Amino acid sequence: MKKPACSACGKPAVINLAYAARHLCAGCFVKYFEKRFLDTVREFRMIKPRERVAVGVSGGKDSMVLLHLLAKLRKRLPFEIVAITIDEGIAGYRSRTLAVAKRECKKLKVPLRVLSFRKGVGFSLDEIMKKEGSACSWCGVFRRYLLNKGARKERASKIAIGHNLDDVAQTVLMNIMRNEPARLARFLEPISEDDAFVPRIRPLMRAPEKEIAAYAMLKGIRITYSECPYAYQSFRQHVKGQLNETEEKYPGTKIRILNSFIWMEKLMEKEGEKSEILKCSGCGEPSSRGLCMACKMIERLGARQ
Ligand code: SF4
Ligand code: ZN
């Protein structure tokens, strides 16, 4: 069968963007991918000149592609980058991705800080799993907590994370399914810049996961594809499967979820509906009331020692 031609230049296409009814060749796809990244940074005014941006890197494809794109942008827009990796303590998994993060940061001349669960919350994730029988709910809270703390220590004014379109669409659906809409309230930072929460930016939020993998491959960014051994447990994994099926049948579903969410966010912002964030009475990190979730969880782990 004859290969489809690139919708932009007519060369043989390497990728099909079903949601946009377009096929693209390697060169046109790379341009399209990079332009979407730049447009997202501009649209949400994610990075200001001379700012210091902490990039959460895991060694996986999303954060590595993000790091490469930001390092490239740094040549046009003067700003600083520091990378932060959270080592949860997952035997046989994190050590591999950590090695990739170290290698890429060295190549791009980006300083890397590694913060561990063991040091930061007293237990590795493997230990928590043994005690509590679950991983993801602990992992998410502690990772967020340590990343925020690390970014403040680095005097970073933003945290860039590699969330892609799939992650964002899943998060929106998960929070609706769990009836936790408030969790979405601060999603599109940077809007306010208080001193407790370092605002998070997601420059890849419009990029589908598959396209990030394709971009990494075409640009020769070497990454590991190993998956966290606890991933099978998560609610996210279930939502991911459902969403992929729906996207397959109805291309553009994920983008429509993201766009609806952005629309709601803007509306809430106009009406001043954002919930107030206070400081945790235990550690001073952000909390909506009293002790923050991380302190409550650390207390619970300690109490069961
Ligand atoms: Fe953490 Fe769960 Fe993700 Fe593994 S799958 S890194 S345990 S949130
Ligand atoms: Zn082309």
Side-chain angles (χ1 to χ4, degrees):
M1 211 171 71
K2 206 175 153 247
K3 269 196 171 179
C6 172
S7 318
C9 75
K11 284 188 196 153
V14 297
I15 192 159
N16 173 21
L17 313 183
Y19 57 88
R22 293 173 84 190
H23 288 86
L24 292 178
C25 70
C28 290
F29 170 68
V30 165
K31 264 192 235 152
Y32 165 82
F33 188 92
E34 292 180 352
K35 182 176 182 302
R36 180 175 50 198
F37 159 79
L38 285 175
D39 288 348
T40 310
V41 170
R42 257 185 234 124
E43 182 186 347
F44 295 94
R45 292 194 286 279
M46 287 179 173
I47 301 172
K48 289 190 209 133
R50 280 167 286 284
E51 212 167 24
R52 188 164 164 81
V53 177
V55 188
V57 301
S58 66
K61 65 178 179 330
D62 304 319
S63 61
M64 286 301 103
V65 164
L66 176 63
L67 193 67
H68 275 260
L69 289 168
L70 288 173
K72 195 170 170 189
L73 179 61
R74 195 171 52 169
K75 292 179 190 153
R76 290 167 52 179
L77 180 79
F79 69 98
E80 288 176 47
I81 305 176
V82 55
I84 301 180
T85 294
I86 307 297
D87 179 2
E88 304 91 344
I90 305 172
Y93 165 66
R94 187 50 79 210
S95 52
R96 248 181 286 158
T97 59
L98 193 55
V100 177
K102 282 185 181 159
R103 185 191 66 211
E104 295 301 306
C105 284
K106 201 170 162 198
K107 202 157 82 188
L108 297 168
K109 297 192 175 61
V110 171
L112 172 69
R113 313 277 179 250
V114 182
L115 304 174
S116 72
F117 271 27
R118 186 135 249 297
K119 230 171 154 191
V121 302
F123 298 88
S124 70
L125 192 62
D126 286 341
E127 288 167 336
I128 295 172
M129 177 69 193
K130 265 193 212 131
K131 279 162 87 72
E132 302 290 333
S134 65
C136 295
S137 47
W138 300 85
C139 182
V141 171
F142 289 153
R143 249 197 339 221
R144 187 177 166 80
Y145 169 73
L146 290 178
L147 195 55
N148 196 57
K149 236 175 144 174
R152 274 202 288 129
K153 196 169 165 216
E154 284 297 322
R155 298 179 330 281
S157 47
K158 300 277 165 59
I159 298 175
I161 43 179
H163 281 176
N164 58 45
L165 175 66
D166 295 60
D167 296 324
V168 177
Q170 288 156 20
T171 304
V172 171
L173 288 185
M174 283 163 66
N175 286 307
I176 292 171
M177 287 171 172
R178 286 173 169 153
N179 190 22
E180 289 178 336
R183 279 188 178 221
L184 292 171
R186 295 178 63 92
F187 203 79
L188 286 183
E189 298 290 2
I191 292 153
S192 66
E193 294 186 21
D194 52 50
D195 61 352
F197 249 126
V198 182
R200 297 186 154 214
I201 55 172
R202 295 168 174 80
L204 294 178
M205 69 180 180
R206 291 198 196 279
E209 186 178 1
K210 273 188 197 156
E211 291 179 28
I212 295 181
Y215 180 82
M217 206 183 73
L218 291 168
K219 295 294 279 183
I221 301 172
R222 282 174 40 222
I223 41 185
T224 95
Y225 284 91
S226 54
E227 193 167 14
C228 172
Y230 301 130
Y232 69 93
Q233 301 190 328
S234 69
F235 179 44
R236 181 175 290 276
Q237 227 27 44
H238 170 78
V239 173
K240 182 177 182 171
Q242 300 283 318
L243 197 51
N244 283 346
E245 259 180 48
T246 313
E247 178 75 30
E248 196 60 40
K249 272 196 192 156
Y250 307 102
T253 298
K254 291 172 188 172
I255 292 173
R256 288 191 289 272
I257 292 174
L258 174 71
N259 288 342
S260 308
F261 170 62
I262 291 173
W263 181 83
M264 281 190 309
E265 274 281 306
K266 287 188 174 157
L267 197 73
M268 269 167 60
E269 205 188 285
K270 234 198 263 159
E271 293 179 0
E273 287 283 333
K274 295 235 160 187
S275 52
E276 200 192 343
I277 301 288
L278 306 169
K279 282 191 182 176
C280 167
S281 50
C283 70
E285 288 293 306
S287 169
S288 47
R289 84 179 97 96
L291 276 186
C292 73
M293 189 57 95
C295 274
K296 278 186 206 153
M297 288 169 118
I298 293 170
E299 234 179 50
R300 185 171 142 191
L301 287 172
R304 292 215 189 155
Q305 253 182 315

